Amino acid sequence: MTDLTAKTTEVHTDEERASGGTSNPYLLMPISVLFILLIFAIIRSPSLISSAGIGSAIIVSAPLILATYALMANAISGRGTVDLSVGPLIGFINVTMIQLVANGYIGSPVSVFIFAVALGMAYQLLMGLIIIYIRVQPIIVSLSGFLALSGINLVILPRPGGLAPEWMLNWGSGTTIFSPVLIILIVATLAWLLFTQTAFYTHLRLMGSDERAAYTSGVPITIVRLGAHAIAGMFSGLAAITFTSLISSGDPSQGTTYTLIAITAVVLGGTSLAGGRGSVIGSLFGALNLYLITYVLATFNFGAVQSFVTDLAYGAILVASLLLTLALPFIQRHIRNFSPLLYFVALSVIVFGVILHNTFDYDGLKSIQPVLLMAGPLEAAGTNAVNLVSPGYAKPLIFAALLIIIIPVLLRVLVSQSSRKDIGPLLAIVVAALVLLGGYLLSRGPELPDSGAKTEEVR
Amino acid sequence: MNVPVADMQNGNLLAKLIGLVLAIGLTAIGVVLGFVQGLPAQQVILYAVATFALSAWAWKFYLQQFHTQNSAAREEDGPGELRQAWEKYRLGVLGFVILLAGFLILSLTVEGFFNVWNVVSGLILLAIIVLTITVGKFVSENKSAFIGLMVLIGLFTIGAMNIEGFASAVNIKSILLFAAFLGLACVGQTLVSLLGGLDLSIPFVIGSANVGLLYMISLGVPPWLAVILILLLGAIIGAINGILSFRLQGQALILTLGTGFAISGGTQIITSIGTAYSGNVFGTVPKWLSNLSAMNGVTFGLPFPPVIAIWALVAIVLIVGMRNTVYGRYLYALGVNRTSARRISISERVYWVAMYSLSGLFSALTGALLLGWSGGGFIGVGDPYLFMTLAAVVVGGTSLLGGVGGYGFTVIGVLVLQVLTSFLVGIGLNFEWQQFIFGILILPMVALYARSPHIRTQI
């Protein structure tokens, strides 16, 4: 009897240990919100899932995502570091870049990148030095930076205007997915993921959750804090570049808005402003969520009160997601082996289904009167969907979808039951392969009816 | 025993020599500049004598204050005399040179900067700095209030001398009027920061109250009833803030921001229902309300707007109440140490919610009074208060971590900010520069008294 209980507890702890590294319950919320919004967005306006739709989504949300990364780097470092000055800093790099380009001091891509990143890092390092050596609370330092930078931005460029460097002008068109902005985004995300593998990141998290413990265990907290600021500065520089490419000019007055939205995105992504916790995927989803909120709301026609409704929705979602973090301990208690990856895959299969449903039913929707369309977004699609979906295309897709769900579930169970911990990468590879397979099938299978639908739409 | 005395005399001689050289240098620069500007010779000589005397006096004062005890404890053998003298007086000399360099740069770049008033005000500034440093050594408690007062006196003296009409009744009245608005908006921020929280919903509540009050009046609600309703609504919103953020105290900043967005959006949606003018409300403000806060308002026959009297009353009640009543003492007790406060059965939740609802109440009051001042509803009327309330609280010396400070400090902070604004407007700087200078000045002011201890002393 005792033997048995001992065994079960052993398995139990093993399970927990196996899930300890990867399971991050704080990702639960951003993922759920992301997919709910995504489904809404696709149903409301299927043009999101097109080359141009995704392209413009990337272009518009890139500065926000990068600003969110910058904020996150600082937030992890603890002491309640909420960098209020991130928006004005992006504006500052933007307007100085525009002015320097206009006067011919810089112009080539390399010089612009070096300039933006160096300026961001210089500012953030200065801030870090003030926090470390003058020992004023970080929020006061960032408040001071906010006021000073938003003032000086208006001095440098009194009103929106100017022109971005020539090579950057066609970045902001957003007609294709594979724009340079996407490359910047991917490189930045990968860089952060690589960074999380370093000892420096471990030090950073330790310092964020308990600075005294970090100091007594010999972590060089001064250097770690400066490093966090340098990384934040780097991301601010990149955010400024993508911001410049988005608006193709200079704008000194975006500071307050960007600060508030970026802080919202950080919190939506599950980063703790108290320090020590944060994930790049969460921040990415947080920023994407904000874009999707705006997108979904834009599909409703509120007329003159559009921006007010957006404000209201921002606020309500922000408060709701914050309150949901209170419920996380309960969820964590019940779901021991939560895997964000599996959750993500499962939800993305559902979204794939919705996309397929929507794309194939597009003709059907077209034929109905617009009045009926307004009746209810969920009901309208079902009218004569069946006869349009060719079973020949649908079968492999459904099969792939089932595979995508079942195989990871099996693998996940396998991993959690076995005591070995290094199956994790294998799982990731298999899931990635399956997703790729699904994507391949998707791109091959419904090509004919899909393009047909599109051409009809164009007409 | 002979050696130290001789040494001391020697040192004194050297010190005097350095002072003499500095004074002569300063005078020479003054004379050269005077002749370059083409002033009459008599004036130049007069200024030169005045400069020489004043700088010699300042140096003597500096010597007396800082180098009476130090010189006795000097070692006998060391580097050469000149080097010793340099090491001993380098702080004074460096400070002097930096001030001089700043002054010179300003006089060379700004046309007509070099005149007698600027020289005199520069010297007054010097005297105030010296006085602050010397007397500040004896002030151990309430250092922030002392420094704030010194800055206030300095700013006011210099402003009164340099700017025509700065010390006039009209200008003082307008400073006090705007200080009253800012001061009332800061009540909530101060109370909440004493508990270690932050309230960023203040500007949104101000804007919403501003628009909502006019909307109610335009609907035909009696103005007195409308004001009471608005105050009540403000308090309710504050209470909601408090209830929601009680479990999320670390994230209070972002949660109140979210409710702020939601409230501002919601108010605008409500007020724009049924009208063609989105977000713009039209109506007539009753006479008594505009008398409350207009520049030409009358309080019981005295020619100043009643809002100043209201602010003074609120300030007195709060200062006395927080010092002498049990509620005030409990507030500080909670701010300093939650655990010990709980041991003497102080309800943290009640105080947290009460402070937030007071914050909402006073924000709504500010919004209502601002309606009387402007005469038209505008949702963005609170926007400048987003970070200004924070700045005033911080400059005054209330710690954002809780437990230290009080409303009296905030009053000083508010006055410093308003007098500084008035001063900057007076010397012809526009809004951008004002904001920049605010940002730059917050840091050193806070650094003078609110430095946190080094990490190694916290273990």
Side-chain angles (χ1 to χ4, degrees):
Chain A
M1 193 65 190
T2 48
D3 194 17
L4 196 72
T5 46
K7 213 171 210 171
T8 46
T9 47
E10 200 187 338
V11 168
H12 206 76
T13 48
D14 243 347
E15 237 176 51
E16 273 183 353
R17 204 173 301 144
S19 65
T22 51
S23 153
N24 181 357
Y26 291 95
L27 276 178
L28 180 67
M29 202 177 48
I31 293 177
S32 319
V33 176
L34 178 75
F35 282 108
I36 292 169
L37 284 170
L38 203 57
I39 289 172
F40 251 104
I42 293 164
I43 290 173
R44 289 293 308 173
S45 158
S47 65
L48 177 66
I49 306 299
S50 63
S51 187
I54 297 177
S56 69
I58 290 170
I59 300 279
V60 173
S61 54
L64 182 59
I65 293 171
L66 291 168
T68 312
Y69 290 177
L71 267 179
M72 181 178 63
N74 275 340
I76 293 178
S77 72
R79 284 204 208 171
T81 314
V82 186
D83 185 8
L84 299 176
S85 64
V86 67
L89 176 61
I90 291 173
F92 180 64
I93 300 174
N94 169 251
V95 293
T96 42
M97 189 200 296
I98 292 294
Q99 289 290 33
L100 286 179
V101 167
N103 292 320
Y105 288 109
I106 51 175
S108 68
V110 178
S111 62
V112 166
F113 268 86
I114 290 177
F115 168 75
V117 171
L119 192 58
M121 282 173 85
Y123 170 79
Q124 284 285 351
L125 281 178
L126 178 69
M127 206 171 124
L129 286 173
I130 291 173
I131 291 172
I132 291 167
Y133 289 108
I134 303 191
R135 300 198 296 272
V136 180
Q137 282 172 43
I139 191 161
I140 296 173
V141 179
S142 70
L143 171 68
S144 160
F146 176 92
L147 291 174
L149 283 182
S150 22
I152 204 75
N153 283 353
L154 284 166
V155 173
I156 295 172
L157 195 71
R159 59 191 62 81
L163 210 59
E166 274 179 28
W167 47 270
M168 207 188 260
L169 287 179
N170 60 347
W171 286 16
S173 52
T175 47
T176 166
I177 298 177
F178 298 101
S179 58
V181 175
L182 179 71
I183 296 168
I184 294 179
L185 211 55
I186 290 175
V187 168
T189 312
L190 283 181
W192 183 277
L193 285 176
L194 279 180
F195 167 60
T196 56
Q197 302 300 315
T198 58
F200 181 80
Y201 181 70
T202 321
H203 288 172
L204 180 62
R205 281 187 57 193
L206 174 59
M207 185 182 77
S209 43
D210 192 341
E211 192 165 350
R212 282 185 287 183
Y215 181 73
T216 41
S217 49
V219 173
I221 52 171
T222 311
I223 293 169
V224 172
R225 191 169 287 281
L226 279 180
H229 279 281
I231 288 165
M234 208 173 68
F235 282 120
S236 312
L238 290 179
I241 288 174
T242 50
F243 178 66
T244 311
S245 76
L246 171 66
I247 59 172
S248 298
S249 61
D251 189 349
S253 52
Q254 282 293 320
T256 322
T257 335
Y258 252 83
T259 297
L260 297 183
I261 296 179
I263 294 177
T264 311
V266 164
V267 173
L268 271 181
T271 302
S272 161
L273 295 184
R277 169 161 58 81
S279 74
V280 69
I281 304 292
S283 297
L284 177 67
F285 288 163
L288 283 179
N289 283 344
L290 283 182
Y291 173 76
L292 284 175
I293 292 171
T294 333
Y295 185 86
V296 169
L297 289 173
T299 61
F300 295 95
N301 191 8
F302 288 113
V305 293
Q306 183 76 46
S307 66
F308 312 148
V309 177
T310 315
D311 277 357
L312 181 67
Y314 266 176
I317 289 174
L318 183 55
V319 172
S321 68
L322 272 175
L323 292 178
L324 272 179
T325 55
L326 284 180
L328 277 178
F330 298 102
I331 296 172
Q332 209 172 358
R333 206 174 296 156
H334 292 295
I335 308 172
R336 288 215 172 269
N337 233 345
F338 171 70
S339 154
L341 186 63
L342 189 55
Y343 188 58
F344 183 81
V345 170
L347 281 180
S348 48
V349 167
I350 296 175
V351 168
F352 265 131
V354 174
I355 292 173
L356 284 178
H357 188 57
N358 234 299
T359 336
F360 282 121
D361 296 349
Y362 209 69
D363 280 343
L365 272 179
K366 274 290 184 187
S367 60
I368 323 172
Q369 294 301 310
V371 187
L372 285 176
L373 233 173
M374 295 306 290
L378 284 170
E379 300 159 17
T383 43
N384 49 2
V386 190
N387 48 15
L388 275 167
V389 181
S390 140
Y393 297 127
K395 264 178 194 165
L397 282 172
I398 294 169
F399 183 65
L402 281 176
L403 270 185
I404 286 174
I405 279 196
I406 290 168
I407 293 181
V409 169
L410 284 177
L411 278 174
R412 179 72 200 175
V413 172
L414 212 83
V415 169
S416 60
Q417 292 302 319
S418 73
S419 55
R420 290 175 61 86
K421 275 171 244 158
D422 43 2
I423 305 181
L426 180 71
L427 172 70
I429 290 168
V430 170
V431 169
L434 282 175
V435 170
L436 277 180
L437 180 72
Y440 174 70
L441 284 177
L442 192 71
S443 66
R444 263 199 66 201
E447 198 155 27
L448 277 171
D450 194 22
S451 58
K454 273 205 185 113
T455 46
E456 273 192 15
E457 182 197 351
V458 169
R459 266 178 234 151
Chain B
M1 282 313 283
N2 242 350
V3 181
V5 174
D7 201 41
M8 211 166 121
Q9 280 172 348
N10 204 354
N12 271 343
L13 190 68
L14 251 175
K16 279 173 187 162
L17 272 177
I18 292 172
L20 208 63
V21 169
L22 278 177
I24 290 174
L26 198 64
T27 317
I29 292 166
V31 168
V32 169
L33 276 174
F35 279 118
V36 167
Q37 278 197 337
L39 291 174
Q42 292 94 332
Q43 264 189 33
V44 174
I45 291 167
L46 183 70
Y47 292 165
V49 171
T51 320
F52 184 78
L54 274 168
S55 47
W57 167 79
W59 184 255
K60 192 164 179 285
F61 188 80
Y62 164 76
L63 281 184
Q64 277 178 353
Q65 286 298 334
F66 294 98
H67 291 286
T68 42
Q69 300 96 0
N70 287 2
S71 51
R74 265 179 53 203
E75 284 176 25
E76 200 182 318
D77 52 342
E81 272 181 14
L82 265 176
R83 189 172 169 76
Q84 273 182 16
W86 163 246
E87 282 186 355
K88 205 166 139 193
Y89 303 114
R90 85 185 142 188
L91 260 180
V93 173
L94 272 180
F96 214 75
V97 168
I98 288 171
L99 277 178
L100 197 67
F103 189 74
L104 264 180
I105 289 167
L106 277 175
S107 1
L108 289 179
T109 48
V110 182
E111 193 86 359
F113 185 83
F114 187 80
N115 60 34
V116 69
W117 289 119
N118 277 336
V119 175
V120 172
S121 53
L123 286 172
I124 287 175
L125 195 70
L126 200 69
I128 284 174
I129 290 172
V130 170
L131 204 66
T132 313
I133 293 170
T134 46
V135 182
K137 280 182 183 163
F138 305 108
V139 182
S140 53
E141 280 179 36
N142 300 348
K143 202 168 179 182
S144 63
F146 171 72
I147 291 169
L149 278 178
M150 289 313 270
V151 171
L152 204 58
I153 294 169
L155 268 176
F156 204 81
T157 337
I158 294 170
M161 284 200 309
N162 277 307
I163 300 158
E164 207 173 316
F166 188 82
S168 67
V170 177
N171 193 40
I172 291 173
K173 207 161 78 174
S174 87
I175 289 177
L176 282 178
L177 178 68
F178 289 108
F181 291 135
L182 183 57
L184 286 172
C186 284
V187 170
Q189 196 72 271
T190 313
L191 292 176
V192 168
S193 352
L194 279 178
L195 283 177
L198 274 177
D199 191 354
L200 285 196
S201 70
I202 289 175
F204 304 102
V205 177
I206 290 176
S208 304
N210 190 284
V211 173
L213 180 60
L214 193 59
Y215 180 66
M216 280 193 189
I217 292 174
S218 72
L219 282 185
V221 182
W224 59 272
L225 186 64
V227 170
I228 290 173
L229 279 177
I230 282 291
L231 293 186
L232 208 64
L233 278 176
I236 290 171
I237 288 167
I240 291 172
N241 268 337
I243 292 166
L244 289 181
S245 62
F246 178 67
R247 291 261 164 241
L248 288 164
Q249 294 194 1
Q251 320 255 29
L253 169 113
I254 191 78
L255 193 125
T256 48
L257 190 67
T259 46
F261 274 149
I263 290 158
S264 141
T267 314
Q268 279 175 299
I269 293 170
I270 292 170
T271 50
S272 50
I273 286 173
T275 60
Y277 319 101
S278 61
N280 290 325
V281 184
F282 296 98
T284 41
V285 180
K287 274 234 169 59
W288 58 268
L289 188 57
S290 37
N291 178 48
L292 267 183
S293 44
M295 261 300 274
N296 50 5
V298 177
T299 318
F300 303 122
L302 296 172
F304 65 89
V307 63
I308 297 173
I310 295 175
W311 181 44
L313 192 72
V314 167
I316 290 167
V317 167
L318 274 174
I319 293 167
V320 173
M322 273 155 64
R323 187 171 283 270
N324 295 323
T325 64
V326 67
Y327 305 108
R329 302 321 297 171
Y330 278 6
L331 187 64
Y332 283 105
L334 268 171
V336 173
N337 193 329
R338 296 285 155 86
T339 322
S340 52
R342 201 180 305 127
R343 293 285 183 274
I344 53 170
S345 64
I346 302 172
S347 166
E348 188 188 349
R349 182 191 294 269
V350 167
Y351 274 84
W352 184 269
V353 176
M355 290 313 126
Y356 270 95
S357 44
L358 274 180
S359 170
L361 176 75
F362 277 100
S363 310
L365 179 66
T366 314
L369 289 171
L370 276 171
L371 178 67
W373 175 72
S374 66
F378 174 49
I379 193 78
V381 75
D383 285 356
Y385 296 104
L386 177 61
F387 292 124
M388 278 306 261
T389 51
L390 211 58
V393 168
V394 163
V395 165
T398 302
S399 161
L400 294 181
L401 300 172
V404 181
Y407 192 65
F409 294 90
T410 305
V411 170
I412 293 174
V414 166
L415 285 176
V416 166
L417 287 187
Q418 282 304 334
V419 171
L420 185 61
T421 315
S422 179
F423 178 72
L424 293 178
V425 170
I427 62 173
L429 290 183
N430 46 10
F431 177 72
E432 298 97 78
W433 282 108
Q434 288 169 33
Q435 213 176 14
F436 177 69
I437 289 173
F438 271 3
I440 295 290
L441 278 184
I442 287 176
L443 260 184
M445 285 193 67
V446 175
L448 279 175
Y449 57 80
R451 294 181 61 182
S452 45
H454 192 275
I455 183 87
R456 77 172 85 88
T457 60
Q458 293 178 18
I459 295 164

